[in-house]
Amino acid sequence: MKRIVLLIWKNGLAYLLSLLTASLFFPLIFLLLEPDSTYTWWVILILSSLGMPTILLPVVLSILVFNLIVYKTKNQFANNSMYYVSLGISLGTVLFLIYLGSFSKHNQTLIVQNFLLLSGIGAFFGFYFYSLIRKDLFSLNDSRKVS
């Protein structure tokens, strides 16, 4: 039980770190797409998405799917960080496609921004997952085999 709580905590930490990294990095790109905006406005906008249930619930589901995929493929890609980053990008893109209907009413710049942001957060999550969680997930798997 203690390992499961630790795994949930580290998944939350990986998500928060990926959101923080994206909020510091992506405003630089978004300033190129919308020169009239400010860096601070973009940081606040990205960080405020954490509290929106319409975004948070699908993200939590994506994190669960990410963990399930990694858990099921076990040692196949255990030491390849690009697998985790690619998986994060893929799930971020799927999340973007789910939200594409609500973005289609807006201009193309907004669609590009949301695609970059969601796939970027997925990539950062994959990197942080590889760094923080990978060993804990596989040790949880190994302890179940022994029991």
Side-chain angles (χ1 to χ4, degrees):
M1 183 66 167
K2 190 176 186 180
R3 285 186 182 173
I4 293 173
V5 171
L6 181 66
L7 190 61
I8 292 170
W9 165 250
K10 286 190 175 182
N11 268 289
L13 180 62
Y15 174 66
L16 290 174
L17 285 172
S18 61
L19 190 66
L20 181 63
T21 305
S23 70
L24 296 174
F25 174 72
F26 281 100
L28 297 172
I29 296 171
F30 295 163
L31 285 173
L32 296 174
L33 296 172
E34 290 192 28
D36 294 338
S37 61
T38 64
Y39 182 85
T40 307
W41 184 81
W42 283 111
V43 170
I44 292 170
L45 186 65
I46 293 169
L47 288 177
S48 67
S49 69
L50 180 64
M52 296 175 61
T54 57
I55 293 177
L56 186 60
L57 296 176
V59 166
V60 169
L61 181 63
S62 296
I63 290 172
L64 290 173
V65 168
F66 187 98
N67 280 276
L68 184 65
I69 291 171
V70 169
Y71 184 75
K72 292 295 182 183
T73 58
K74 296 179 209 172
N75 298 323
Q76 203 169 15
F77 300 101
N79 293 320
N80 188 354
S81 64
M82 287 308 297
Y83 166 72
Y84 298 99
V85 172
S86 299
L87 182 60
I89 291 171
S90 300
L91 287 174
T93 302
V94 167
L95 195 58
F96 167 76
L97 292 173
I98 290 170
Y99 284 120
L100 187 60
S102 64
F103 297 145
S104 63
K105 296 177 239 168
H106 303 285
N107 61 13
Q108 299 293 31
T109 305
L110 184 65
I111 293 172
V112 170
Q113 289 170 347
N114 283 301
F115 173 73
L116 289 174
L117 186 62
L118 289 173
S119 60
I121 289 174
F124 288 133
F125 180 79
F127 172 76
Y128 288 123
F129 186 94
Y130 177 78
S131 301
L132 297 171
I133 303 167
R134 174 181 51 95
K135 292 177 185 173
D136 291 333
L137 187 67
F138 292 128
S139 69
L140 179 67
N141 187 27
D142 293 339
S143 68
R144 287 187 179 173
K145 284 183 177 179
V146 173
S147 299

